[in-house]
């Protein structure tokens, strides 16, 4: 019943109501102000970056797993970075590690995930014609694009790209004479990241404004899907923390080029005592991690939001503890700002500070645990449909739990002494932040692909892709904990210099093989994605029988998203399998007055509010597509 | 343990066979009834995969842990290290249980509650009691872990005992240099980074009398067993981090900001060699903060020995001034006599060599004024 009454039939008329003035190619696909096109631009750019970023990890995994391998076959690609005996250059190894980190964290999981889905879903799920400022939104993408071009071009420098680790700690990053990666590569890194931050801020302001101001009639905050809550909180996190990274980067630029001493003090390098005194390298770390830690959640929260939505839809059950989910999102977001120094327990900062940060860090486990339990309970007595999106969401929860738990070890400053900067850390954050967020990205793409392109991705290929990736991730990162417990330090070109790290050669080789296979498995996704854009099965109106508003828009939404009036919203987005209802879902835009058979007592009282909701029409925004 | 793995492996095998048999049935079913509408595509085998994955993960992780365990670092050879090790395995135990329980429920529910035609999910949006319970339980567990961790942390980072053996360790691209306070005054002399040159790699300030008997070593660090050792840590160029894996010691070396770490090592190198049955065993110091091209090769040998041999070793070391007598020229005039006192081990046989040396210093370093006045 709901299906007919929810404006779903409008697709037929969609064509007639289209705008008359067709935009030209450039305005429509390149310099577009339409949030859907911008989202796709972010997605495609993110996918390209992820291929580059993961390919880099494959190269250094070969180096770590098979240190004696002859890499001459990579010469056509890497050129001078492979020496005459077929060995990878140690400087380039560091560059690879650095660029892998930078690309994956910022360009793939921040821009690719948040940029794609915040842009795509915010207007569609809250019922808005577009973002608050289409122009700023376009600008945001093109700043990101410029940042991408600069970062990409740094890969081709004679001296190589930045190579001080993705955290670019000075003085190594500040002194060109300390490392070749700190020369032009670092300059371009800083310029690129500065532009990237501008892009994030423009995007973030837009997301926040849109969520606050452009919700459709009746879309109160307590009726927002959890995706929107997650994007909203993520945008706030970014808006507060990214400027601090910008300041850190600017001061570093000053130190590098204008002779200031913010981060430099008492340095003797290459036979020369530098004049700088009074600066502190630790200052940079504080500034960096003030962004760096929230950044973890900027990456993860959208994935958790996406997962909440997908798990509820495909369990055919309301998400368990909607309010607790929001509260834990807010709790995690707030705490993420006051835990940054747990990355710095052994930098020599005041031990008392270490105690404080340990305490605050371990509190984060509580809201995180609530989330994990709530997801699990949502599955309980559900009627689970294993779409690829659902599989990736369940996988995300598993990774979030497994990887999150080791965070409790690392957040404990006494235990961090031994484990800091070992592979234990690498294993921890790759599972909980890297893989979990990437799973959120995959889940989102599989779930909203029909809305983005009007076609379906191949289901079976998606499921196979999931199992290969899921197994692959565990095979790569689970054994990595062992290597970390054995004390192997991060960012080592090879482990043969030390006796204590001379073991585990087999395990390192195993991890490398698993990593390469997992990388290859991603081509299943790439093929599925690009093939389905053009040749996929045509999507039905509401393929997952979902409640949220985007599925009421035409299958291929045009400019302005809805034809005619934007549907008002009367209920929360999780009325799945409601007792008494004929179908197992009731979309948000179905009024309570039409579902007397399934209304709960307090919901009957809301029927009176329906007229009020419908009467709202601020600035005429809900009536006409602009 | 081996039996557990065996049993788990058996369960895994049985389940695999069951699933394969089941899958064949399902596949046949798919072929026979093309119109199997209602059942989402591939739902059955994906559901089964969760159970399969669960058992596989249990077997694989238990087995791999048992295999990998032998390559973990041996028991810590420092007092605080054993404490953090215990804490680590205690926390790990709790977390492993949590990990298994939650993942088990997640996968089990996925399999159990997979889509069945005609089934309807239970509308179960919230339960405050339940939510309260699983907010409180992690909070209590966390509180325990925080408390034990905090106790250990405050003890480890407390001030070093007064009688600690002080050793300075300085990181540079790419190696460590240690400096000892010497056998006479037992105090490290001042340093200044502007005094660093090719010989005086640590910038030892020779206008400070405490530096006269300091000695340095670019390849080995010796420390006494069962005695508190205070490492004074600094860096010359970029960030480094002192990491002594067997002692569970790690602390960054920061240019411009000296740091420190104290500990008590309680197994000598020889004891450790006997314990491990490895005559080639050596304690090692590594760098764990990315510092450039040679980051992975900053190895320094650490020798832990009983106090007698340690004292003996210290006494045998040539002081910095003995190694580079040229630097006598940097000693201010009023302290010259004191500085020369540390020189005699260079033997009385050549009382002439000392002035000969100092004249060459005059010539070389142009410190003529001071040495001349001394004579």
């Amino acid at each position: 019943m709901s299906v007919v009454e929810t404006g779903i039939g409008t697709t037929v008329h969609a064509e007639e109501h289209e705008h008359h003035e067709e935009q030209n190619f450039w305005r429509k696909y390149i310099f577009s102000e339409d949030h859907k096109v911008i989202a796709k631009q972010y997605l495609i750019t993110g996918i390209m970056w992820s291929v580059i970023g993961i390919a880099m990890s494959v190269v250094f995994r070969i180096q770590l797993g098979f240190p004696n391998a002859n890499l001459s076959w990579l010469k056509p690609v890497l050129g001078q970075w492979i020496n005459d005996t077929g060995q990878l250059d140690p400087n380039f190894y560091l560059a690879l590690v650095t660029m892998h980190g930078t690309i994956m964290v910022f360009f793939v999981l921040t821009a690719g995930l948040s940029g794609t889905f915040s842009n795509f879903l915010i207007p569609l799920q809250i019922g808005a014609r577009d973002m608050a400022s289409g122009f700023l939104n376009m600008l945001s993408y093109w700043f990101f694009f410029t940042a991408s071009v600069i970062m990409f071009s740094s890969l081709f420098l004679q001296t190589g790209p930045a190579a001080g680790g993705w955290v670019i700690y000075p003085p190594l990053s500040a002194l060109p004479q300390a490392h070749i990666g700190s020369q032009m590569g670092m300059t371009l890194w800083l310029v690129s990241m500065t532009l990237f931050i501008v892009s994030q801020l423009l995007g973030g302001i837009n997301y926040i404004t849109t969520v606050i101001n452009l919700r459709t009639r009746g879309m109160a905050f307590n009726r927002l899907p959890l995706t929107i809550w997650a994007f909203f909180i993520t945008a706030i996190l970014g808006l507060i923390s990214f400027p601090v990274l910008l300041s850190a980067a600017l001061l570093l630029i000053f130190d590098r080029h204008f002779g200031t001493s913010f981060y430099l003090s008492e340095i003797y390098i290459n036979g020369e005592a530098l004049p700088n005194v009074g600066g502190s390298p630790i200052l940079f770390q504080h500034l960096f991690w003030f962004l760096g830690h929230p950044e973890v959640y900027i990456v993860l929260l959208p994935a958790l939001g996406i997962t909440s939505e997908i798990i509820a839809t495909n369990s055919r059950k309301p998400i368990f503890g909607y309010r607790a989910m929001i509260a834990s999102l807010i709790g995690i977001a707030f705490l993420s700002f006051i835990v940054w120094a747990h990355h710095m327990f052994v930098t020599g900062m005041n031990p008392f500070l270490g105690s404080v940060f340990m305490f605050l860090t371990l509190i984060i486990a509580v809201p995180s645990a609530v989330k994990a339990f709530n997801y699990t309970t949502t599955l309980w007595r559900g009627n689970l449909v294993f779409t690829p999106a659902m599989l990736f969401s369940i996988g995300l929860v598993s990774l979030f739990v497994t990887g999150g738990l080791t965070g409790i070890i690392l957040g404990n400053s006494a235990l961090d002494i031994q484990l800091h900067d070992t592979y234990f850390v690498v294993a921890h954050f790759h599972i909980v932040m890297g893989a979990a967020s990437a799973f959120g990205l995959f889940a989102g793409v599989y779930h909203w692909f029909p809305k983005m392109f009007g076609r379906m991705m191949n289901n079976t290929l998606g499921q196979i892709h999931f199992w290969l990736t899921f197994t692959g991730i565990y095979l790569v990162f689970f054994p990595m904990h062992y290597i970390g417990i054995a004390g192997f330090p991060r960012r080592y070109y090879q482990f043969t210099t030390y006796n204590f790290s001379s073991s585990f050669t087999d395990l390192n080789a195993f991890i490398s093989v698993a990593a390469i296979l997992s990388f290859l498995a991603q081509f299943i996704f790439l093929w599925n994605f690009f093939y389905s854009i053009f040749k996929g099965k045509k999507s039905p109106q509401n393929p997952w029988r979902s409640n949220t508003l985007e599925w009421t828009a035409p299958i291929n939404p045009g400019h302005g998203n809805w034809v005619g009036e934007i549907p008002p919203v009367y209920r929360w987005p999780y009325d799945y399998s409601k007792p008494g209802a004929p179908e197992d879902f009731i979309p948000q835009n179905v009024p309570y007055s039409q579902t007397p058979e399934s209304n709960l007592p307090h919901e009957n009282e809301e029927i009176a509010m329906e007229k009020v909701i419908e009467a709202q029409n601020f600035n005429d925004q809900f009536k006409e597509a602009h | 343990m081996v039996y557990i793995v065996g049993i788990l492996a058996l369960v895994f095998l049985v389940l695999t066979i069951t699933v394969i048999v089941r899958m064949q049935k399902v596949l046949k079913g798919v072929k026979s009834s093309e119109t199997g509408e209602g059942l989402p595509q591939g739902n059955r085998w994906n559901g089964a995969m969760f159970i399969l994955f669960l058992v596989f993960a249990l077997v694989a992780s238990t087995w791999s842990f048992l295999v990998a365990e032998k390559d973990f670092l041996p028991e810590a050879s420092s007092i605080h290290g054993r404490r953090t090790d215990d804490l680590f395995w205690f926390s790990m135990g709790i977390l492993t249980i949590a990990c298994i329980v939650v993942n088990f429920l997640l996968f089990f529910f996925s399999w159990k509650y997979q889509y069945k035609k005609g089934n309807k999910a239970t509308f179960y949006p919230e339960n405050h009691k339940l939510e309260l319970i699983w907010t409180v339980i992690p909070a209590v567990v966390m509180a325990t872990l925080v408390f034990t961790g905090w106790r250990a942390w405050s003890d480890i980072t407390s001030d070093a005992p007064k009688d600690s053996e002080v050793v300075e360790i300085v990181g540079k691209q790419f190696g460590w240099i240690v400096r000892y306070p010497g056998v006479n005054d037992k105090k490290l002399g001042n340093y200044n980074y502007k005094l660093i040159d090719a010989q005086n790699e640590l910038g030892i300030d020779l206008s400070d009398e405490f530096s006269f008997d300091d000695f340095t070593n670019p390849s080995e660090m010796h420390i006494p067993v069962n005695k508190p050792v205070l490492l004074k840590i600094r860096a010359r160029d970029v960030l480094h981090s002192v990491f002594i894996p067997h002692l569970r010691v790690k602390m960054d070396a920061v240019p411009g900001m000296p740091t420190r770490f104290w500990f008590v090592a309680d197994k000598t190198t020889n004891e450790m060699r006997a314990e491990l049955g490895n005559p080639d065993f050596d304690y090692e110091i590594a760098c764990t903060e990315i510092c450039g091209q040679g980051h992975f090769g900053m190895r320094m040998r650490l020798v832990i020995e009983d106090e007698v041999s340690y004292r003996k070793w210290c006494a045998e070391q040539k002081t910095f001034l003995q190694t580079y007598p040229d630097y006598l020229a940097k000693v201010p005039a009023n302290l010259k006599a004191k500085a020369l006192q540390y020189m005699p081990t260079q033997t009385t046989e050549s009382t002439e060599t000392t002035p000969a040396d100092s004249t060459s210093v005059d010539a070389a370093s142009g410190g003529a004024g001071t040495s001349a006045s001394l004579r």
Side-chain angles (χ1 to χ4, degrees):
Chain A
M1 71 82 254
S2 52
V3 181
V4 188
E5 285 159 350
T6 47
I8 282 165
T10 45
T11 31
V12 190
H13 315 286
E15 303 309 311
E16 306 163 23
H17 288 278
E18 275 290 273
H19 267 274
H20 301 300
E21 344 104 50
E22 260 307 302
Q23 286 174 316
N24 67 30
F25 174 81
W26 288 94
R27 291 291 288 162
K28 199 168 172 187
Y29 294 109
I30 309 296
F31 295 104
S32 172
E33 294 183 15
D34 188 309
H35 71 102
K36 298 181 290 298
V37 177
I38 295 173
K40 290 175 203 171
Q41 289 173 330
Y42 267 113
L43 181 60
I44 305 277
T45 320
I47 287 177
M48 292 200 298
W49 268 123
S50 66
V51 173
I52 298 173
I54 301 174
M56 285 177 163
S57 74
V58 166
V59 175
F60 64 70
R61 248 353 285 191
I62 294 177
Q63 165 64 28
L64 290 170
F66 310 96
N68 300 317
N70 186 336
L71 297 182
S72 303
W73 55 278
L74 277 171
K75 251 191 148 119
V77 188
L78 298 182
Q80 46 145 344
W81 300 113
I82 304 288
N83 68 17
D84 294 335
T85 54
Q87 296 292 305
L88 187 70
D89 184 277
N91 284 322
F92 194 65
Y93 170 81
L94 293 180
L96 283 175
V97 176
T98 305
M99 295 316 283
H100 169 74
T102 308
I103 289 170
M104 297 312 285
V105 170
F106 292 114
F107 289 23
V108 177
L109 293 178
T110 305
L113 176 60
S114 183
T116 303
F117 290 104
S118 296
N119 266 313
F120 191 74
L121 291 181
I122 288 177
L124 278 169
Q125 286 199 333
I126 66 170
R129 298 276 176 210
D130 204 316
M131 282 290 178
S133 167
F135 179 73
L136 280 191
N137 209 16
M138 177 185 84
L139 214 56
S140 162
Y141 174 75
W142 287 101
F143 265 104
F144 168 56
F145 185 81
T146 317
S148 291
V149 169
I150 294 174
M151 193 64 89
F152 188 68
S153 63
S154 82
L155 299 177
F156 300 98
L157 291 173
Q158 186 82 28
T159 50
W166 78 281
V167 295
I168 57 153
Y169 284 172
L172 183 65
S173 59
L175 304 172
Q177 62 268 48
H179 193 251
I180 56 164
S182 305
Q183 296 168 16
M184 196 58 182
M186 195 65 229
T187 307
L188 292 189
W189 193 98
L190 287 167
V191 172
S192 169
M193 281 309 295
T194 306
L195 295 174
F196 181 83
I197 294 165
V198 173
S199 145
Q200 286 307 301
L201 295 181
L202 291 174
I205 290 172
N206 229 339
Y207 306 149
I208 295 171
T209 318
T210 310
V211 172
I212 293 178
N213 289 317
L214 297 186
R215 282 164 293 129
T216 185
R217 288 167 289 182
M219 183 61 95
F221 267 87
N222 61 6
R223 286 181 190 144
L224 280 183
L226 285 170
T227 35
I228 303 303
W229 268 107
F231 297 147
F232 179 60
I233 292 168
T234 305
I236 295 173
L237 282 185
L239 198 63
I240 300 174
S241 61
F242 265 115
V244 181
L245 181 67
L246 182 63
S247 68
L250 285 180
L251 298 187
L252 186 54
I253 291 174
F254 285 176
D255 271 8
R256 287 169 55 83
H257 299 291
F258 308 121
T260 55
S261 316
F262 291 107
Y263 308 131
L264 304 176
S265 186
E266 303 187 28
I267 289 165
Y268 176 90
I269 193 164
N270 289 0
E272 183 196 5
L274 304 183
N276 314 67
V277 283
S280 167
I282 306 297
L283 169 65
F284 178 86
Q285 298 183 21
H286 279 295
L287 293 175
F288 181 87
W289 288 113
F290 190 84
L291 158 91
H293 198 79
E295 170 66 23
V296 171
Y297 293 98
I298 291 174
V299 165
L300 189 61
L301 291 186
L304 291 176
I306 287 170
T307 305
S308 309
E309 177 65 28
I310 293 173
I311 285 190
T313 306
N314 291 297
S315 299
R316 316 307 297 159
K317 265 187 76 184
I319 191 86
F320 183 79
Y322 173 76
R323 277 159 203 278
M325 288 303 243
I326 296 170
S328 58
L329 275 179
I330 296 174
I332 291 174
F334 173 72
L335 288 170
S336 78
F337 275 109
I338 47 175
V339 299
W340 77 88
H342 67 216
H343 299 268
M344 302 166 58
F345 285 139
V346 294
T347 53
M349 74 178 184
N350 190 325
F352 172 71
L353 216 52
S355 312
V356 174
F357 276 101
M358 162 168 67
F359 178 65
L360 293 168
T361 301
L362 295 195
I363 298 180
I364 289 200
V366 176
S368 307
V370 170
K371 288 201 95 69
F373 292 140
N374 282 5
Y375 284 130
T376 313
T377 317
T378 307
L379 299 181
W380 179 71
R381 299 180 73 173
N383 203 18
L384 276 55
V385 182
F386 297 126
T387 63
M390 177 65 166
L391 291 173
F392 273 101
S393 301
I394 297 174
L396 182 149
V397 178
S398 169
L399 293 169
F400 180 62
V401 171
T402 311
L405 283 170
T406 49
I408 294 169
I409 299 259
L410 291 166
N412 189 327
S413 54
L415 306 183
D416 187 61
I417 295 173
Q418 173 71 4
L419 295 170
H420 182 78
D421 268 345
T422 64
Y423 270 84
F424 197 85
V425 180
V426 179
H428 159 69
F429 76 75
H430 273 91
I431 293 183
V432 75
M433 166 191 173
S437 308
F439 272 42
L441 181 59
F442 282 131
V445 171
Y446 280 114
H447 194 79
W448 281 288
F449 190 88
K451 195 81 246 165
M452 285 182 173
F453 299 102
R455 290 172 187 274
M456 309 291 286
M457 284 174 84
N458 184 303
N459 197 45
T460 313
L461 280 182
Q463 289 163 336
I464 293 173
H465 170 228
F466 166 74
W467 285 108
L468 291 177
T469 313
F470 189 53
T471 322
I473 292 289
Y474 268 117
L475 289 181
V476 171
F477 295 112
F478 196 84
M480 213 177 258
H481 289 99
Y482 301 150
I483 296 179
I485 295 172
F488 284 47
R490 291 170 78 173
R491 300 181 179 130
Y492 266 31
Y493 171 68
Q494 51 182 238
F495 297 114
T496 45
T497 337
Y498 293 91
N499 296 327
F500 81 88
S501 63
S502 59
S503 53
F504 281 135
T505 43
D506 292 350
L507 193 56
N508 262 319
F510 174 83
I511 291 175
S512 298
V513 171
I516 293 166
L517 293 179
S518 314
F519 174 60
L520 293 178
Q522 303 318 306
F523 286 91
I524 299 176
F525 169 79
L526 287 181
W527 191 84
N528 198 355
F529 181 82
F530 286 108
Y531 179 84
S532 305
I533 290 180
F534 302 104
K535 294 278 172 67
K537 226 171 66 188
K538 283 258 193 311
S539 158
Q541 176 65 38
N542 189 353
W544 320 118
R545 297 152 58 79
S546 178
N547 283 347
T548 37
L549 219 48
E550 74 272 28
W551 304 106
T552 63
I555 294 177
N556 288 305
H559 200 53
N561 294 340
W562 279 270
V563 180
E565 272 191 31
I566 297 179
V569 163
Y570 304 97
R571 59 177 76 223
W572 76 328
Y574 298 108
D575 269 347
Y576 290 106
S577 302
K578 212 170 183 192
E583 293 271 349
D584 64 356
F585 70 116
I586 311 174
Q588 281 193 282
N589 58 328
V590 177
Y592 288 119
S593 53
Q594 290 181 17
T595 58
E597 68 280 2
S598 65
N599 287 350
L600 302 170
H602 72 274
E603 288 169 346
N604 281 323
E605 293 162 21
E606 301 227 1
I607 293 178
M609 291 299 294
E610 283 166 14
K611 289 275 169 294
V612 182
I613 289 174
E614 281 153 26
Q616 292 172 358
N617 191 17
F618 308 116
N619 305 327
D620 211 30
Q621 62 176 327
F622 306 119
K623 285 271 165 65
E624 290 294 319
H626 51 206
Chain B
M1 262 312 197
V2 182
Y3 293 108
I4 299 174
V5 178
I7 292 167
L8 285 175
L10 200 70
V11 175
F12 178 58
L13 200 72
V14 171
L15 274 174
T16 318
I17 295 167
T18 336
V19 168
I20 291 173
V21 173
R22 277 270 188 95
M23 280 229 328
Q24 275 173 337
K25 276 186 196 160
V26 172
L27 286 177
K28 271 183 203 156
V30 168
K31 272 176 209 152
S32 59
S33 61
E34 287 282 300
T35 49
E37 43 128 1
L39 188 70
Q41 238 181 338
N43 226 49
R44 293 277 279 280
W45 72 265
N46 278 289
M49 278 298 283
F50 277 108
I51 293 298
L52 210 60
F53 186 89
L54 184 67
V55 181
F56 169 75
L58 272 175
V59 175
S61 52
T62 318
W63 173 78
S64 64
F65 180 82
L66 292 176
V67 171
E69 207 181 11
K70 68 173 176 11
D71 286 325
F72 292 169
L73 289 174
E75 195 190 47
S77 20
S78 63
I79 293 170
H80 82 271
R82 274 196 299 280
R83 184 169 174 188
T84 55
D85 276 14
D86 290 347
L87 207 53
F88 173 77
W89 289 114
F90 170 69
S91 310
M92 214 47 175
I94 293 179
L95 301 181
T96 307
I97 295 171
C99 182
I100 291 177
V101 169
V102 181
N103 273 308
F104 172 80
L105 290 179
L106 191 68
F107 293 162
F108 177 72
F109 287 169
S110 299
W111 170 75
K112 174 110 203 281
Y113 299 109
Q114 57 181 297
Y115 179 90
K116 289 185 195 77
K117 208 173 172 205
N119 255 20
K120 197 162 182 185
T122 311
F123 187 81
Y124 190 60
E126 60 190 354
N127 180 336
H128 291 303
K129 209 179 203 172
L130 212 54
E131 287 172 85
L132 193 69
I133 291 173
W134 63 48
T135 310
V136 171
I137 291 178
V140 171
V141 176
M142 284 311 117
T144 324
L145 294 180
V146 167
F147 186 68
T148 48
W150 172 74
R151 288 262 306 268
W153 170 252
S154 357
D155 289 346
I156 294 167
T157 55
S158 59
D159 286 338
K162 286 271 185 298
D163 63 335
S164 301
E165 204 63 32
V166 177
V167 183
E168 183 183 60
I169 178 162
V170 181
K172 61 160 195 157
Q173 289 180 326
F174 295 98
W176 300 103
I177 303 171
V178 285
R179 178 163 70 123
Y180 285 80
V183 287
N184 296 309
D185 60 33
K186 298 203 171 167
K187 275 206 158 131
L188 284 167
N190 287 341
Y191 62 86
N192 184 337
Y193 82 104
K194 294 210 166 165
L195 298 173
I196 298 176
D197 56 37
Q199 274 96 41
N200 188 1
E201 290 199 281
L202 299 183
I204 300 173
D205 181 0
L206 290 162
S207 63
D208 178 10
E209 53 183 308
F210 292 121
S211 65
F212 297 159
D213 66 341
D214 292 1
F215 61 88
T216 64
N217 194 316
S219 61
E220 277 190 4
M221 182 199 266
H222 286 237
I223 55 169
V225 76
N226 290 327
K227 195 161 190 290
V229 173
L230 171 64
L231 292 184
K232 294 197 160 182
I233 304 163
R234 59 192 176 96
R236 228 172 66 161
D237 35 38
V238 299
L239 293 172
H240 301 275
S241 187
V242 179
F243 179 36
I244 315 177
H246 293 91
L247 300 186
R248 316 296 192 250
V249 167
K250 189 177 289 147
M251 182 52 70
D252 283 4
V254 184
M257 191 188 95
T259 55
R260 64 181 96 81
F261 198 106
W262 77 271
F263 57 91
V264 180
D266 59 1
K267 279 183 204 163
T268 64
T269 303
N270 284 331
E271 281 168 12
M272 202 65 178
R273 282 177 183 169
E275 189 182 317
L276 296 177
N278 176 9
D280 299 327
F281 172 83
D282 261 323
Y283 288 108
E284 296 173 305
I285 302 177
C287 177
T288 51
E289 187 64 76
I290 182 171
C291 59
Q293 182 175 8
H295 171 53
F296 62 99
M298 281 179 59
R299 180 175 192 264
M300 174 173 253
R301 209 162 78 96
L302 169 67
V303 178
I304 304 180
E305 51 198 350
D306 58 76
E307 189 150 6
V308 180
S309 8
Y310 169 71
R311 296 280 165 231
K312 186 158 159 276
W313 177 81
C314 286
E316 284 165 1
Q317 302 303 304
K318 278 172 93 178
T319 65
F320 176 75
L321 273 177
Q322 284 164 356
T323 319
Y324 301 107
D326 296 6
Y327 284 83
L328 269 177
K330 307 247 179 173
V331 176
N334 56 334
L335 292 173
K336 207 89 183 189
K338 190 164 185 192
L340 282 169
Q341 277 174 15
Y342 293 104
M343 302 302 285
T345 35
Q346 232 182 14
T347 65
T348 35
E349 91 216 8
S350 60
T351 27
E352 285 162 26
T353 48
T354 321
D357 269 351
S358 62
T359 40
S360 72
V361 172
D362 297 343
S365 62
T370 46
S371 356
S373 63
L374 183 78
R375 247 177 272 150

